Structures are given as C-alpha cells and as structure tokens.
Amino acid sequence: MLKDILYKVSLRSVKGNTNTTIKDLQIDSRKVSKGTCFIAIRGTVADGHQFVDTAIENGASAIVCETLPAILNEEVTYIEVENSAAAAGFMSHNFYGEPSLKLKLTGVTGTNGKTTIVTLLWKLFSELGYKCGLISTVQNQIGKEVISSTHTTPDAISLNALLKKMADAGCTMVFMECSSHAIHQHRITGLQFTGALFSNITHDHLDYHKTFNEYIRVKKSWFDALPSSSFAISNADDKRGHVILQNTAAKKYFYSLKTMADFKGRILENSLAGLHMLVNDREVYFRLIGEFNAYNLLAVYGAAICLGEEKNKVLQVLSSLDGAEGRFDYMVSKNDKVIGIIDYAHTPDALLNVLATIKKLRQGHEHIITVVGCGGDRDKTKRPIMAAAACEHSDRVIFTADNPRSEDPLNILKEMEAGVNVVARKKYITIADRREAIKAAVSLALKEDIILVAGKGHEKYQEIKGVKYDFDDKEILNEMFELLDK
C-alpha cells in the first residue's frame, strides 16, 4: 500500500487516497506502467517534474514530487515531499521489504581505494564461508553470479531491488562502494549500514561538488547519519580522517601506518613479490603491492574484526588474496622483461600513489614510461595537475585520450599540457589515439623498463561522442608486447 511505503518520508501534503496498491516504483517516466508510483526527481541532466504528465499517461496511479502540478488528475494520488530523491531512498527500502535489515551491509567511501576494499572484503568473507553480495564499480555479485555494473552506486530503486535479490538468495554479508554522488543524490538514503569505512579524500569530482569543502561535507554527512549500532572506521593518516567521524554516533575505529590506531600496520618490505607487514604486531606476507594497498588491507582487516571475525584467521585468508581487476594489475613481457602495469588511477593523488609505488619497486636502472589521459565531461581542474604529476615522476610520458565522452580529446590534451613546466616539456609526447599511445610506449621501452597505463583500469570500453567502443588496456598492452617482440 502507498501509505506503508511512505514510512519515514518527509511529507508536505497529500492529495488523494494513500490506501492504494502500488505495483512498481519508477524515476523514469518511460518505464511507468499501470499501478506505478512515479517519483519526480530533479537530476543534473533532467527534471522529473517535466515528465509527470507522461507518467500519468503511461498509467501511474501515484506521483511523488516537490512541486505539485497546476492541474491535478482526480484519479491520481499526489504526494508533495521535501526532497524527492530522499523520498525515493526511503520508499524503495520500504517497497522492497527493508532488505538492508535482513543482512549485514558494509559501505566504503573515499576518493581512492573503494573498489579494492569492497572486493577484498567480498573475497575474504566468501573464503570464510559466507554467501556475500558485492556492489562495486567493476561489477556486482550475488555469491558467484556476476551482474554487470553501470554506476559506482546504482539509483535507489535499482539498489534496493538488488539488495532484496541478495537477501532472497541467502546473502548474509554485502559490501558496497558509496560514492559521493550516491550520498548527495540520496541513492543510499534509508539503508541500514552495519558498518562504514572511509579510505581517504583527495582532489576529485569538483565538476559536481564545485568546492573541496563541499566534497568533504557530503562524505561526512553519511557518517553523521549512522546510528549508534553501527561501526565507523577511518584512516587516521588522512588529514580529514578524524574530522569525517567527529559527529558520528557510530562506534569509532581508526587504522594507520604512521600513528597509534586500533588497527596499526607497519611495512617491513614492499616489492613486486608483495607486502611484508606487521599488523597489530603480527607479521604477515600479502600478495598485494604498494603502500596504498597496505592501507586498503588495514581497512579490510579492521572491518572484519568489527564484523566479529577472528584476527588470525582473517590475516591468514587475506595473505592469500589478489586485489581488484585493474588496480595495480601487472604483467611482464616474455623477451625483454618489460613490466606493464594497468591501473585505474584517474585522480592526481591516485596517480602519485601508483608512481610512488613503482619508484620504490624499481631497482634503479629501469625507466618509467607513463601513458595517461583525463576523462571528458568531468572535473577539468585536475587535468593540468595529472599531467604535471606524470611528468614529475616518470622518465617518459605519453598523453592520450581516456574516455573523451562528448569533448574533443585534443582540447582535453591541451588542458593537460598546460600543467607541464618548461623543464618537463621534453619528457612528454601527445598521441590522441590510445591504442597508438600504448604501442608507442612499448616501442620506447628498453629491457626491464616499466610501463604504466593509467586511468581506465578494469574498463573494457572507450566512450567517444556517446558511443562505447571495445577497448581493454591490458589486452592491448599484451598485444603490443607480442607485436613488437618485447
């Protein structure tokens, strides 16, 4: 009944009968059918209020909106609310039988590390014998069933439908990425989180949030809303790590490599063979590489302990796990032993982390060749910063197209080039065609050199002018190794 699924929604007014059966919820008027409740959301591209008439023509029996239409249809129930997006969150959770109460839901937010942390948690708890759900940038998973992923966090209706499917399939643990967009757009509103993790916060998404302070505020708002029954884990080494948790009612925990913390780590050795660490004074070898993965492992370890697992068993399983696809994913060429690294790094900080890790792993004689671009229709301010970072920490750099989307890739590349100082200009070349850029990098590589292809990671496509073309960085790098007999 409509009145039941309106539980917790902040109402302004009701016009019509709420004792009506709702068969479906939709935020897209084109998907409305008889018995649907249409929720009109003001989005970044379109305003759902403009499609109320279309929804009614398609059979909507109820309309949820922030502004009532001038003319009301007597056969339709109108619900005026404070915020349609927040209403969609609560209503979806109610409509699908409050699925987050039927399992333990752990969310992860932060600029970098979200995908690796949730993937490791999913792998860890699957190995520990649980049936788990995964909601990530790379893919969604119900046990071993893989479901393709289109957004870091799905819309509220799709998300609750997916959580219900997970609960119905017998999942007891679910691990999900919570992007800043999802928090701000109320896609996760209404969900009950057992735990919440914060990895770090750096320069990203300013095309959407406008200011860095607003970006921080949005991330923090999720922790502010957590109940006392939840746990919240934060990175004590991030300068906003304590601020993020300062107003939460959840039980607070911290992880760190540099200061005292509940989950304390120390790197003993970092090589291509993996990480040798102390974790709360227990010596462990991990297969993952790099300081950034040391932080990811501590976050996962902390979450597992907060979820009631035994620490020695957790560390034993974690030591055997690989990370997420497209995150410091490396290969070695057959003849010249050139190391190729594929990484999703698409923010200045992520790129610096990967390059810093590569520098620590090199023996000294190898050259670092970086292939990097920046996405179109996204934060433009990071483009010159990304270019400068690549040039500062690499021996050779090739600027190329990422996912240009609706933008001209040459314009994106010019904005990147503007960040390169006079001294570094001899280090880079620009090749807009990404395949040719990767080929050029392999051609430039000498014996045992290191090639980093950054920005797309797990993605298997390149988006140009609204069309997605097949494109897999790892596949093409391997292809070029063979073609050029490396």
Side-chain angles (χ1 to χ4, degrees):
M1 300 292 277
L2 178 58
K3 65 179 182 181
D4 298 322
I5 63 173
L6 288 171
Y7 176 58
K8 290 188 179 179
V9 175
S10 181
L11 305 177
R12 280 184 181 157
S13 68
V14 177
K15 310 288 183 187
N17 182 16
T18 58
N19 284 315
T20 181
T21 301
I22 297 300
K23 295 179 181 176
D24 190 22
L25 296 180
Q26 288 293 344
I27 56 174
D28 184 340
S29 61
R30 294 167 296 185
K31 295 179 181 177
V32 169
S33 58
K34 192 171 177 58
T36 297
C37 175
F38 174 68
I39 306 169
I41 294 176
R42 300 188 199 279
T44 52
V45 178
D47 183 353
H49 291 75
Q50 297 174 343
F51 304 99
V52 166
D53 289 343
T54 305
I56 292 171
E57 286 168 16
N58 289 342
S61 56
I63 301 291
V64 173
C65 54
E66 293 171 17
T67 307
L68 291 172
I71 301 170
L72 304 183
N73 184 319
E74 291 181 3
E75 295 177 11
V76 175
T77 302
Y78 294 86
I79 311 293
E80 188 184 13
V81 297
E82 294 287 336
N83 185 310
S84 295
F90 288 119
M91 291 176 72
S92 301
H93 196 235
N94 295 331
F95 181 78
Y96 286 103
E98 300 180 312
S100 70
L101 301 184
K102 297 172 182 173
L103 37 77
K104 289 186 175 180
L105 177 62
T106 301
V108 181
T109 197
T111 308
N112 303 311
K114 295 188 296 295
T115 304
T116 297
I117 292 169
V118 296
T119 303
L120 285 172
L121 280 166
W122 182 88
K123 288 181 176 182
L124 169 64
F125 277 83
S126 296
E127 286 289 323
L128 290 170
Y130 295 88
K131 186 166 186 181
C132 303
L134 172 69
I135 303 172
S136 83
T137 306
V138 177
Q139 64 194 31
N140 300 327
Q141 237 171 303
I142 301 174
K144 292 182 179 176
E145 180 193 354
V146 176
I147 302 162
S148 62
S149 173
T150 55
H151 291 79
T152 300
T153 315
D155 68 79
I157 298 171
S158 303
L159 177 56
N160 279 278
L162 180 59
L163 287 170
K164 181 184 187 300
K165 198 173 176 185
M166 289 175 172
D168 289 348
C171 291
T172 54
M173 298 278 185
V174 175
F175 306 101
M176 72 176 286
E177 293 186 49
C178 298
S179 68
S180 59
H181 290 66
I183 297 166
H184 189 251
Q185 293 168 11
H186 292 282
R187 290 185 228 158
I188 60 173
T189 294
L191 299 181
Q192 176 77 41
F193 286 90
T194 301
L197 280 73
F198 170 75
S199 61
N200 51 64
I201 193 159
T202 60
H203 189 116
D204 198 19
H205 300 308
L206 299 195
D207 55 315
Y208 180 84
H209 296 293
K210 306 307 178 193
T211 68
F212 191 52
N213 282 340
E214 173 61 9
Y215 181 38
I216 295 165
R217 186 200 67 77
V218 169
K219 295 275 191 196
K220 183 177 178 297
S221 69
W222 178 42
F223 291 90
D224 291 351
L226 291 172
S228 58
S229 56
S230 301
F231 65 83
I233 302 175
S234 182
N235 180 355
D237 294 345
D238 186 281
K239 55 184 172 183
R240 273 92 183 181
H242 283 84
V243 171
I244 289 285
L245 300 194
Q246 71 182 17
N247 300 117
T248 189
K251 292 180 280 294
K252 300 179 191 179
Y253 300 90
F254 292 91
Y255 62 94
S256 171
L257 287 174
K258 297 173 182 173
T259 62
M260 290 304 296
D262 304 281
F263 310 111
K264 177 75 172 72
R266 182 156 68 90
I267 297 173
L268 301 176
E269 189 180 356
N270 178 14
S271 70
L272 274 173
L275 283 161
H276 179 195
M277 289 178 66
L278 278 178
V279 177
N280 282 7
D281 298 322
R282 171 88 191 271
E283 202 169 325
V284 197
Y285 290 87
F286 297 106
R287 296 170 71 172
L288 276 72
I289 298 163
E291 184 180 87
F292 58 94
N293 272 324
Y295 280 108
N296 293 335
L297 287 160
L298 287 173
V300 171
Y301 173 71
I305 301 307
C306 289
L307 286 165
E309 298 305 308
E310 198 276 315
K311 61 183 180 181
N312 289 331
K313 183 64 176 171
V314 168
L315 291 173
Q316 180 191 332
V317 175
L318 268 181
S319 69
S320 69
L321 299 181
D322 294 318
E325 183 188 5
R327 271 64 176 174
F328 213 89
D329 205 343
Y330 76 96
M331 67 199 82
V332 181
S333 71
K334 191 165 63 179
N335 297 327
D336 290 349
K337 307 302 178 191
V338 176
I339 296 171
I341 297 167
I342 305 296
D343 197 272
Y344 189 54
H346 61 286
T347 66
D349 190 66
L351 186 61
L352 283 169
N353 279 340
V354 173
L355 286 167
T357 298
I358 292 170
K359 278 187 164 183
K360 286 174 185 173
L361 297 176
R362 74 199 292 197
Q363 301 299 308
H365 63 280
E366 314 94 330
H367 295 99
I368 298 171
I369 303 166
T370 298
V371 180
V372 65
C374 289
D377 304 332
R378 297 292 186 269
D379 185 359
K380 294 186 178 186
T381 61
K382 70 182 179 184
R383 292 173 184 174
I385 305 169
M386 292 273 287
C391 286
E392 185 180 348
H393 299 282
S394 312
D395 298 292
R396 297 295 302 271
V397 178
I398 302 172
F399 296 145
T400 190
D402 189 289
N403 287 321
R405 300 184 178 89
S406 72
E407 287 193 67
D408 182 340
L410 294 177
N411 289 339
I412 297 172
L413 292 167
K414 279 178 188 171
E415 290 178 9
M416 290 181 70
E417 289 170 1
V420 182
N421 63 38
V422 177
V423 178
R425 280 182 192 164
K426 291 180 181 176
K427 279 190 176 182
Y428 81 85
I429 57 173
T430 298
I431 302 174
D433 184 303
R434 194 171 180 91
R435 176 184 287 273
E436 290 301 314
I438 294 171
K439 184 178 181 181
V442 174
S443 174
L444 288 169
L446 302 175
K447 194 167 182 154
E448 296 181 352
D449 279 352
I450 302 168
I451 298 171
L452 168 64
V453 183
K456 287 171 57 59
H458 65 280
E459 292 176 349
K460 303 291 191 292
Y461 64 86
Q462 191 172 26
E463 188 178 338
I464 305 168
K465 300 292 181 189
V467 180
K468 288 187 175 182
Y469 299 91
D470 288 344
F471 200 100
D472 184 334
D473 281 351
K474 189 172 183 178
E475 190 179 282
I476 288 164
L477 186 55
N478 262 322
E479 182 187 317
M480 294 309 166
F481 279 157
E482 288 188 23
L483 180 70
L484 298 173
D485 201 26
K486 294 288 182 174

